[in-house]
């Protein structure tokens, strides 16, 4: 088995330096995500809109996963590792279908089911502000 | 460390052509799908507190940050241990693996402490759909950590008794992939469960 495996070119070999780079990047991104939520919290939620913060947090999470996959799990687009990448891409499609599909369907179910106080519920959902008479 | 630095280290790439390593990679992918369904369940049920507590009331930002740091450092040290194992530095490898294990234990202890506090304060998994899905998702990750720790213990015993065989190095590579994978899942948990829960 072993003799079929060609050694990697020197510059592609995983080194301790690459590991440290990955570690520092992960640390920075995690720290930034926590710091952002903390800053949002102490500014009484006025730092930015909630939607923007959620979008930034999602980007940070994706960046961290990419950093760890690259530096710690050594994923790459090289041909020698092609099947690894293909299986990862397939997994991503499945994850997307499960998570986004669930959110989509359940939100619609949720929306279409009549809650205990329908009037109040619809007013909240549609942002209708009824002044009391 | 100089000779360690120049070794072809964890050689995940060199070994990525080995069927056993690729097979283990496929297992990790299926495990990711398992976690994806738990994440989907949690996201759908996170607002269903049934009059009980919401995430904002029970999650502590500094506590989760410390957990995150511990797991990240543990994952990093596990990678270093693989480098030293490749260089067949026995004492150094065992000490690095012990550090990894202790950090993993600290993480698990913090998680168990958090669960205990929640249950004793009356916020157990039976309280609401939110808490059920929370305990299932975070608990499944914790269970994986426990399995990783047992596997690590067995690996350390193996080094002590038989040293570094080629097959053992392949298995240690798989273990380090597993450990890094758990850190990747934790990124999802601290972002989706805790950070978004607190926001």
């Amino acid at each position: 088995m072993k003799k079929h495996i060609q050694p990697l070119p020197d510059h592609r070999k995983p080194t301790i330096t690459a590991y440290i780079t990955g570690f520092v990047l992960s640390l920075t991104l995690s720290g930034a995500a926590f710091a952002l939520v903390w800053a949002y919290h102490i500014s009484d939620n006025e730092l930015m809109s909630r939607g923007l913060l959620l979008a930034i947090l999602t980007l940070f999470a994706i960046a961290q996963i990419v950093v760890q996959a690259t530096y710690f799990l050594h994923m790459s687009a090289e041909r020698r590792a092609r099947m690894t990448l293909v299986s990862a891409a397939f997994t991503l499609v499945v994850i997307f279908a499960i998570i986004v599909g669930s959110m989509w369907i359940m939100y619609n179910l949720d929306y279409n089911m009549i809650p205990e106080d329908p009037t109040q519920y619809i007013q909240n959902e549609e942002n209708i502000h009824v002044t009391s008479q | 460390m100089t000779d360690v630095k120049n070794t072809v280290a964890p050689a995940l790439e060199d070994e990525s052509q080995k069927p056993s390593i690729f097979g283990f990679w496929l297992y990790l992918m299926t495990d990711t799908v398992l976690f994806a369904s738990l994440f989907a369940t949690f996201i759908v049920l996170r607002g269903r507190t049934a009059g009980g507590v919401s995430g904002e009331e029970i999650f502590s930002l500094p506590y989760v940050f410390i957990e995150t740091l511990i797991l990240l450092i543990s994952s990093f040290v596990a990678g270093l241990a693989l480098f030293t194992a490749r260089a067949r530095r026995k004492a150094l490898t065992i000490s690095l693996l012990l550090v990894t294990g202790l950090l993993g234990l600290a993480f698990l202890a913090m998680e168990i402490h958090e669960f205990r506090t929640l249950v004793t304060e009356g916020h157990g998994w039976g309280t609401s759909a939110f808490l059920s899905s929370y305990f299932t998702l975070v608990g499944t990750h914790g269970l994986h950590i426990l399995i990783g720790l047992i596997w690590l213990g067995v690996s350390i015993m193996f080094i002590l008794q038989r040293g570094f065989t080629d097959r053992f190095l392949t298995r240690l590579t798989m273990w380090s992939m597993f450990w890094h994978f758990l850190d990747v899942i934790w990124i999802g948990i601290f972002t989706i469960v805790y950070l978004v829960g607190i926001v």
Side-chain angles (χ1 to χ4, degrees):
Chain A
M1 240 6 237
K2 211 162 190 176
K3 61 177 185 279
H4 299 301
I5 300 173
Q6 288 160 11
L8 283 167
D10 269 351
H11 67 280
R12 285 292 311 144
K13 283 176 184 168
T15 57
I16 286 194
T17 325
Y19 249 81
I20 294 170
T21 313
F23 177 64
V24 172
L25 279 175
S26 302
L27 209 58
T28 316
L29 287 165
S30 301
F34 275 94
L36 207 60
V37 172
W38 180 72
Y40 179 79
H41 219 61
I42 57 164
S43 72
D44 274 333
N45 307 353
E46 277 170 4
L47 186 70
M48 60 181 82
S49 73
R50 190 169 186 271
L52 179 64
L53 182 59
L54 293 186
I56 296 176
L57 287 179
T58 311
L59 283 180
F60 273 159
I62 293 171
Q64 285 173 82
I65 290 171
V66 170
V67 164
Q68 297 225 356
T70 315
Y71 292 98
F72 288 178
L73 286 169
H74 305 295
M75 279 186 66
S76 71
E78 284 175 66
R79 212 175 66 223
R80 64 205 334 279
R82 188 54 54 86
M83 279 320 283
T84 310
L85 203 67
V86 169
S87 57
F90 174 68
T91 310
L92 280 180
V93 173
V94 174
I95 291 172
F96 182 81
I98 293 176
I99 293 183
V100 178
S102 301
M103 286 167 75
W104 183 22
I105 291 171
M106 293 312 286
Y107 177 80
N108 272 285
L109 278 180
D110 194 34
Y111 193 83
N112 292 324
M113 284 208 292
I114 305 291
E116 275 174 53
D117 184 355
T119 317
Q120 185 64 47
Y121 180 78
I122 292 167
Q123 280 172 4
N124 290 342
E125 280 296 310
E126 303 293 341
N127 277 320
I128 303 168
H129 301 288
V130 184
T131 44
S132 52
Q133 281 130 15
Chain B
M1 290 277 273
T2 43
D3 60 322
V4 175
K5 203 174 171 179
N6 297 322
T7 37
V8 192
L12 270 185
E13 275 175 307
D14 266 11
E15 293 195 351
S16 64
Q17 293 185 342
K18 274 192 186 174
S20 53
I21 294 285
F22 180 60
F24 192 74
W25 172 262
L26 286 185
Y27 153 69
L28 289 183
M29 291 298 103
T30 56
D31 220 10
T32 312
V33 173
L34 166 82
F35 275 105
S37 34
L38 293 178
F39 273 116
T41 314
F42 177 81
I43 293 168
V44 165
L45 296 177
R46 75 177 327 147
R48 298 288 168 270
T49 50
V53 288
S54 69
E56 204 175 349
E57 295 162 67
I58 52 171
F59 298 149
S60 147
L61 203 55
Y63 196 84
V64 181
F65 186 55
I66 292 169
E67 279 184 301
T68 305
L69 279 185
I70 289 176
L71 204 59
L72 184 60
I73 295 170
S74 173
S75 192
F76 175 63
V77 178
L80 293 185
L82 205 52
F83 278 92
T84 58
R86 290 270 146 195
R88 294 175 199 262
R89 296 272 292 265
K90 197 167 170 179
L92 195 56
T93 306
I94 290 178
S95 9
L96 287 175
L97 288 178
L98 281 176
V99 172
T100 310
L102 286 176
L103 289 168
L105 270 180
F107 174 86
L108 201 60
M110 283 185 81
E111 202 159 277
I112 291 170
H113 173 75
E114 190 185 18
F115 281 6
R116 249 185 72 97
T117 316
L118 282 177
V119 172
T120 48
E121 284 175 359
H123 313 310
W125 45 82
T127 316
S128 65
F130 157 65
L131 283 168
S132 300
S133 59
Y134 164 78
F135 274 103
T136 313
L137 172 58
V138 182
T140 306
H141 179 265
L143 192 65
H144 277 74
I145 293 279
L146 179 65
I147 293 168
L149 285 174
I150 294 170
W151 189 355
L152 174 63
V154 173
S155 302
I156 293 174
M157 300 280 279
F158 193 97
I159 300 175
L160 286 174
Q161 285 182 356
R162 292 185 225 172
F164 300 110
T165 62
D166 280 349
R167 286 189 61 188
F168 172 76
L169 287 174
T170 307
R171 282 204 293 266
L172 196 67
T173 307
M174 290 179 192
W175 172 80
S176 88
M177 286 164 76
F178 186 66
W179 204 245
H180 291 321
F181 158 77
L182 290 180
D183 201 23
V184 172
I185 297 294
W186 181 252
I187 295 171
I189 293 183
F190 83 68
T191 305
I192 294 174
V193 177
Y194 294 102
L195 291 185
V196 176
I198 287 169
V199 163

